[in-house]
Amino acid sequence: MGSSKIIYEKAGEALYSYEHPSGLKAFVIPRPGYLKKYAAFATNYGSIDNEFIIPGETDVTRVPDGIAHFLEHKLFEQKDGNVMEKFSRLGSNPNAYTSFNKTVYLFSCTDRFDENFRLLLDYVRNPYITPESVENEKGIIGQEILMYQDNPDWKVHFNLLKAMYEKHPVRIDIAGTIDSISRIDRETLYKCYNTFYHPSNMIVLAVGDVDPENVFRMVESTIPHNKPRAPVNRIYPEEKAAVHSEFIEERLAVSIPMFRIGHKGSFFGEKGIGLLMYEVAVKLALELLAGRSSELYEQLYGEGMINSSFGTDVSVEKQYAFSILGGESPDPLQVRDRFCRALEEAKKKGLDRSACERLIRAYRGRFMRQFNSVERIAHSFISVYFKGVSMFDYLDVYDKITFEYVNEVLHDHFKPESLAMSVIRPV
Amino acid sequence: METGFDAGRPVRVSSFNGIDVFMVNTDKFKTSSIHFFFQDNLARENVTKNALLPAVMRRGSMEHPTFRDISMELESLYGATFDCGVTKKGERHIIHFYTEFLSKQFVPDGTDIFAEALELLFGIITRPALADGSFREDYLAQEKENLRIRIEGRVNDKMSYSVERCMEEMCRNEPFEIYDYGFVEDLAPITADGLTAHYRTMLGTFPLQVYLVGSISDKEAEKVTGLLSGLARGDTVKLRESFTGKEKAEIRHVTETMDVTQGKLCLGCRTNTAPGSDDYPALMVYNGILGGGIHSKLFRNVREKASLAYYCYSMLEKFKGLMVISSGIDTGNRELALDIINMQLDDMSKGNISDYEMEATIKSMETGIKSLTDSQVNIVDFYLSQTIAGTDDDFGTLMEKIRKVTKDDVRAAAQRIVPDTVYFLTAESDDE
């Protein structure tokens, strides 16, 4: 059984990996001394994958919005009952989440790792979905959707994506809508399952005080040795570079206006470390412009235009990229105008080189800090993995990224036509 | 024999003038941290000032007079973090300050990062940026406004808002009803001089606990003691106990309306089990079986069987002796949900507890307690809570007590539970 080990000396970390004959890839990041052990079984399939050609077919399949998330809920159901109960008996905490790009099944435990791990490998591969349980789940997910409708942070974020994107499914809520989930049935759930839950579209990861060889042996013996399958042909609509609409506003039961200012990136098609380099450059540019150590932050905070809820967020994927800043403000439009002014000025004068170097130093420390938590490690590893890179590549990026490149990205990413704003105002 | 609980009790490094310094020495983390907890009794006359203090203090110290200066210093220290704020544990009001930084073995350039981070934190706490001997007027005005926004912003998160409101309604006319961040109407009278005087009261008289966690040497711990012994301290504030029992109650129904899509239903109960009592572990198991996870009665019956909610759980407020059951439901389903919740409470009092529920709960609590040792913040919070509750458990002794709990103990805990208040946050158009 061929497995390999890479040591990252600077981080004091090691990554073990193994490829199963079926194409499934398995990874272990050991955490000696930690009591909590964490494992995840993840598929490269998320809420944006709602149009695709099933391998072996020629017609395009279009499925209802929210089905990846719905399937995530339904996989817990097994022929002999709910799998949560089995994990409970082992004293572990099972969970799952669906994002735009992936569905992740996981558990954390402190004891009986092997039994938990085998259970994870087993249940994700054995769906048991009945028409009755599909109907029952509509009630639960319906309440989940309604819960988010009352969550202003969630609303202001997703409204921004709706403003930025005209056609791309990243504009659609991950859980779908009450209407779209009403059209989900057993047959379509199985169709999605069979398309996207092939081992060659999935990875397994364990983090904690575990023996890598033992983990890989369990993967080797549990997963059938079928041949890898060709990738699924996923269809995403053509999306223009400019934003769909510049401004979106809604009223909710909040005490103060909330806002998000977003830039829609047009960085598509690149895979690998270039993607991370671009992401880090956008983060640096945004933090240099409006981060806590910036002049703009100090001014806006001092004037009461922003408060400590103000923050930034950057997402760079193969299919889409965006950067966001936002928080609460009595006058969100003024914050936008001031940000745009600072942006234009920085484009003329260039960013601050020494501040950029200081921030890269901070990023190294923040990167290291995430290794304190098995959940954070797993989360970071999986989010980066499906982009075709490893989270440890960030260390290379921090070594190689140049101030000149950050300035270049400043001009490339933050274009006036790619800016949109979302505001939630009090009722 | 208990194995695996290697993050043992903190070592008390020093104790003087109402100050206690504790150290948890461990190499398992990539970072180390320093935590300061000033404690006060929760009371109307101090709560707003206590909440305002860290907000103003985080704006600057003598050495780093602006928030921007502090941020730049943190970035230079390899992305160290600093934060501060207030919280309540029972009827204690706690003002905390902390910094977390890369442990020295991971710092590439030989910076004495412990010394620098301590200097920064200690500076913020003991040498705030002042003008003419008082807090800066501009900082005070801005932070009063931010605090007002914060207090009014409670409604933004409906889930936590409903739980807090339920507990407040239960504890009317008791100090516990006071919101951690204080009162908007108490902000206006606070002057720079008044807040500075209050700051000196905090620094000079509030009991202080300091925790050092991570790769910390004895010499470094001594340094902290040395700095603290230089503080001028007066008579230390006497802290009172929080726990209140209530053996009978007529259930009150409180309904609040807001522009919401989903209703939030909370049922608040008195536990009548003090945190220091021998019965407390049984109450913890009780809460676990009732609503502490996917194996619990509430999750299985309200969510999985009745399909009424996405979430339904119960939680304990240890110090005051409260339990709240919380769920997000359709606004029209209040009675149905309450019926199912009450059936679970009845089941618990009758001792209808399966072996599976008992075992899964204890195992899940064991996993939870062991997992606490993997986080610096959780280790510190656990031991701080022990001192506030007046108990002396570590992770291992607590687990042993939980393992000894029997179904009869749980049933006894159930019979002490007294439902007190039903709180419902619902839409305005609803005809309830």
Side-chain angles (χ1 to χ4, degrees):
Chain A
M1 199 180 67
S3 65
S4 62
K5 175 184 179 182
I6 307 173
I7 293 173
Y8 300 92
E9 252 174 66
K10 269 191 259 174
E13 294 295 329
L15 173 69
Y16 294 78
S17 51
Y18 158 70
E19 184 166 348
H20 187 268
S22 64
L24 176 71
K25 293 183 183 68
F27 302 91
V28 174
I29 300 174
R31 294 241 61 63
Y34 274 63
L35 298 188
K36 196 190 283 184
K37 301 170 176 75
Y38 182 107
F41 198 177
T43 170
N44 183 6
Y45 166 55
S47 67
I48 64 170
D49 301 307
N50 54 18
E51 210 174 335
F52 46 87
I53 300 171
I54 296 170
E57 294 184 10
T58 47
D59 290 345
V60 172
T61 300
R62 176 81 175 83
V63 292
D65 296 334
I67 196 161
H69 171 260
F70 202 106
L71 188 54
E72 172 228 297
H73 272 237
K74 275 343 286 170
L75 274 202
F76 283 97
E77 216 90 35
Q78 297 283 289
K79 202 167 190 172
D80 53 354
N82 195 309
V83 78
M84 290 194 194
E85 191 173 318
K86 293 187 193 168
F87 279 108
S88 283
R89 284 182 195 281
L90 294 169
S92 58
N93 301 314
N95 210 338
Y97 62 89
T98 307
S99 71
F100 291 132
N101 316 293
K102 59 193 174 294
T103 315
V104 184
Y105 300 85
L106 59 98
F107 69 84
S108 65
C109 70
T110 53
D111 301 291
R112 300 166 83 174
F113 175 81
D114 289 6
E115 286 162 82
N116 280 298
F117 188 65
R118 285 206 184 89
L119 185 55
L120 175 73
L121 293 182
D122 188 61
Y123 92 85
V124 175
R125 290 182 307 109
N126 291 293
Y128 181 75
I129 303 167
T130 63
E132 300 75 43
S133 76
V134 171
E135 289 315 305
N136 190 56
E137 205 64 40
K138 287 177 184 175
I140 297 170
I141 295 176
Q143 288 304 320
E144 186 179 1
I145 291 170
L146 291 183
M147 180 177 83
Y148 285 117
Q149 293 303 310
D150 284 337
N151 182 328
D153 284 317
W154 176 270
K155 269 272 170 168
V156 73
H157 180 82
F158 275 83
N159 282 355
L160 177 68
L161 296 181
K162 283 187 176 72
M164 283 203 275
Y165 291 89
E166 183 190 6
K167 293 176 183 153
H168 194 279
V170 74
R171 72 191 305 282
I172 302 163
D173 282 1
I174 288 164
T177 61
I178 301 275
D179 177 60
S180 74
I181 64 167
S182 74
R183 285 179 276 118
I184 290 174
D185 58 22
R186 180 178 175 275
E187 191 200 345
T188 323
L189 286 165
Y190 270 111
K191 192 180 274 181
C192 290
Y193 180 85
N194 291 327
T195 306
F196 291 103
Y197 283 68
H198 188 278
S200 51
N201 194 45
M202 301 178 78
I203 64 166
V204 172
L205 169 70
V207 185
D209 204 348
V210 296
D211 170 23
E213 289 306 314
N214 179 45
V215 171
F216 297 150
R217 265 195 305 273
M218 285 191 277
V219 172
E220 200 263 347
S221 62
T222 311
I223 309 286
H225 289 212
N226 299 327
K227 286 219 166 62
R229 199 177 59 184
V232 184
N233 188 355
R234 303 158 200 240
I235 299 158
Y236 304 105
E238 282 282 319
E239 178 74 37
K240 62 185 176 187
V243 294
H244 173 46
S245 102
E246 286 167 22
F247 190 76
I248 184 167
E249 185 176 287
E250 193 175 333
R251 287 184 190 270
L252 278 181
V254 292
S255 57
I256 179 172
M258 295 181 177
F259 70 96
R260 296 286 184 275
I261 299 163
H263 277 90
K264 176 178 173 181
S266 43
F267 182 83
F268 304 120
E270 187 152 348
K271 249 183 115 168
I273 197 160
L275 212 64
L276 291 193
M277 192 73 90
Y278 185 80
E279 178 196 301
V280 171
V282 173
K283 273 189 184 150
L284 281 167
L286 198 58
E287 217 170 327
L288 286 166
L289 287 166
R292 290 186 163 206
S293 60
S294 70
E295 200 180 337
L296 180 67
Y297 185 100
E298 183 173 52
Q299 287 171 356
L300 291 173
Y301 190 99
E303 293 166 30
M305 279 296 119
I306 57 171
N307 57 33
S308 56
S309 69
F310 187 80
T312 60
D313 177 33
V314 174
S315 188
V316 175
E317 297 290 337
K318 280 184 274 178
Q319 292 297 327
Y320 57 88
F322 53 79
S323 65
I324 299 177
L325 66 162
E328 304 168 351
S329 174
D331 189 354
L333 293 178
Q334 194 188 141
V335 177
R336 180 187 64 185
D337 295 346
R338 299 275 290 277
F339 172 72
C340 289
R341 234 184 290 158
L343 179 60
E344 290 318 309
E345 206 172 306
K347 281 183 184 169
K348 267 184 235 147
K349 289 190 191 160
L351 295 160
D352 178 345
R353 183 186 289 269
S354 72
C356 185
E357 283 162 8
R358 192 182 65 229
L359 274 174
I360 293 172
R361 187 173 156 114
Y363 284 14
R364 286 180 203 276
R366 291 180 199 165
F367 175 79
M368 295 289 284
R369 190 167 71 227
Q370 67 187 332
F371 287 96
N372 277 351
S373 149
V374 294
E375 286 93 347
R376 290 264 313 270
I377 297 168
H379 194 77
S380 295
F381 186 88
I382 297 167
S383 0
V384 173
Y385 181 79
F386 289 130
K387 297 180 198 178
V389 255
S390 152
M391 70 184 282
F392 293 99
D393 291 333
Y394 277 110
L395 289 168
D396 265 357
V397 170
Y398 300 142
D399 283 342
K400 287 181 187 146
I401 199 162
T402 62
F403 177 65
E404 287 67 31
Y405 179 64
V406 178
N407 263 314
E408 207 177 289
V409 167
L410 175 78
H411 288 270
D412 176 76
H413 179 78
F414 298 93
K415 293 194 179 91
E417 67 272 19
S418 68
L419 181 140
M421 181 173 203
S422 158
V423 176
I424 299 283
R425 286 191 193 278
V427 182
Chain B
M1 205 185 78
E2 191 52 67
T3 55
F5 288 99
D6 58 339
R9 282 166 195 272
V11 175
R12 192 193 299 261
V13 176
S14 55
S15 180
F16 57 98
N17 298 343
I19 300 172
D20 291 287
V21 181
F22 299 98
M23 177 161 80
V24 179
N25 201 339
T26 165
D27 277 338
K28 83 180 201 185
F29 302 110
K30 290 277 200 280
T31 57
S32 302
S33 55
I34 306 172
H35 309 251
F36 278 61
F37 299 96
F38 291 93
Q39 291 190 48
D40 191 14
N41 291 307
L42 190 61
R44 173 97 194 217
E45 57 270 27
N46 278 4
V47 67
T48 312
K49 283 185 278 184
N50 283 345
L52 198 52
L53 266 184
V56 173
M57 289 167 69
R58 70 195 280 275
R59 295 297 299 276
S61 63
M62 265 163 58
E63 295 85 0
H64 304 283
T66 69
F67 184 65
R68 191 177 180 204
D69 295 325
I70 293 175
S71 303
M72 287 198 241
E73 176 69 5
L74 290 166
E75 286 166 4
S76 302
L77 292 175
Y78 290 93
T81 54
F82 153 72
D83 209 352
C84 56
V86 286
T87 175
K88 71 177 176 189
K89 282 183 184 284
E91 291 176 356
R92 300 272 177 91
H93 202 208
I94 295 162
I95 308 175
H96 59 89
F97 299 84
Y98 99 106
T99 181
E100 183 184 350
F101 44 90
L102 215 50
S103 293
K104 46 188 161 302
Q105 60 268 37
F106 300 107
V107 175
D109 63 3
T111 308
D112 186 353
I113 199 158
F114 178 87
E116 306 246 357
L118 174 66
E119 181 69 14
L120 177 66
L121 185 70
F122 203 71
I124 291 168
I125 297 171
T126 63
R127 297 183 297 273
L130 301 177
D132 300 326
S134 289
F135 284 120
R136 284 174 51 165
E137 293 285 354
D138 53 343
Y139 287 176
L140 177 66
Q142 287 153 16
E143 295 309 330
K144 276 186 179 182
E145 176 61 9
N146 284 334
L147 186 54
R148 181 189 67 80
I149 291 168
R150 175 96 192 216
I151 297 167
E152 289 174 353
R154 285 183 82 186
V155 297
N156 298 348
D157 182 343
K158 314 288 181 282
M159 208 193 285
S160 59
Y161 175 75
S162 58
V163 172
E164 289 171 10
R165 285 285 300 120
C166 179
M167 291 197 277
E168 289 172 10
E169 285 294 335
M170 285 174 74
C171 300
R172 279 169 314 147
N173 307 318
E174 296 176 62
F176 191 76
E177 74 171 331
I178 296 169
Y179 179 50
D180 329 12
Y181 286 89
F183 298 84
V184 171
E185 59 270 33
D186 293 353
L187 281 167
I190 299 175
T191 62
D193 286 349
L195 192 66
T196 312
H198 187 69
Y199 159 72
R200 302 209 190 285
T201 306
M202 176 197 87
L203 199 61
T205 68
F206 286 11
L208 168 63
Q209 288 191 13
V210 177
Y211 286 84
L212 312 171
V213 191
S215 314
I216 312 246
S217 68
D218 290 345
K219 217 173 159 188
E220 285 166 336
E222 276 165 34
K223 191 172 176 183
V224 174
T225 301
L227 282 174
L228 289 166
S229 59
L231 288 181
R233 297 276 289 178
D235 287 343
T236 311
V237 170
K238 293 261 178 303
L239 297 171
R240 58 162 191 268
E241 294 307 313
S242 305
F243 177 75
T244 312
K246 200 171 172 186
E247 275 160 25
K248 263 192 194 135
E250 190 142 319
I251 297 179
R252 280 180 71 227
H253 292 266
V254 179
T255 299
E256 197 170 332
T257 58
M258 218 181 263
D259 190 4
V260 291
T261 322
Q262 185 182 63
K264 308 283 184 207
L265 178 67
C266 296
L267 172 59
C269 306
R270 296 277 179 169
T271 65
N272 292 304
T273 304
S277 95
D278 291 345
D279 300 324
Y280 195 78
L283 177 67
M284 293 173 75
V285 176
Y286 167 88
N287 178 62
I289 297 171
L290 177 67
I294 50 175
H295 55 271
S296 70
K297 287 187 188 289
L298 290 173
F299 187 89
R300 283 182 297 133
N301 288 292
V302 179
R303 171 176 152 141
E304 299 291 299
K305 279 197 193 134
S307 190
L308 283 181
Y310 172 67
Y311 73 91
C312 186
Y313 66 91
S314 61
M315 51 90 69
L316 296 173
E317 202 293 336
K318 172 179 178 179
F319 311 98
K320 182 70 185 165
L322 312 176
M323 179 178 77
V324 177
I325 294 165
S326 165
S327 185
I329 54 170
D330 253 356
T331 53
N333 281 337
R334 179 181 181 275
E335 299 315 315
L336 186 56
L338 258 184
D339 283 347
I340 300 175
I341 290 168
N342 279 321
M343 270 190 264
Q344 312 316 311
L345 287 170
D346 280 350
D347 250 14
M348 295 294 296
S349 312
K350 285 181 193 142
N352 291 337
I353 297 161
S354 69
D355 290 341
Y356 161 67
E357 288 172 326
M358 192 75 191
E359 281 161 29
T361 296
I362 289 177
K363 277 185 189 142
S364 136
M365 291 171 77
E366 178 162 358
T367 305
I369 290 170
K370 283 184 176 172
S371 300
L372 294 178
T373 65
D374 289 345
S375 147
Q376 296 181 55
V377 169
N378 289 340
I379 292 171
V380 170
D381 185 68
F382 179 86
Y383 286 108
L384 176 72
S385 297
Q386 292 296 317
T387 67
I388 292 175
T391 48
D392 189 31
D393 279 315
D394 59 33
F395 297 108
T397 58
L398 177 63
M399 200 53 237
E400 261 165 48
K401 289 178 187 174
I402 288 168
R403 279 202 207 99
K404 283 186 192 138
V405 171
T406 64
K407 282 187 193 173
D408 284 342
D409 298 335
V410 175
R411 188 178 168 188
Q415 287 167 352
R416 289 191 298 272
I417 297 280
V418 176
D420 185 298
T421 300
V422 177
Y423 171 89
F424 193 45
L425 179 66
T426 185
E428 272 141 21
S429 54
D430 209 57
D431 296 323
E432 287 264 1

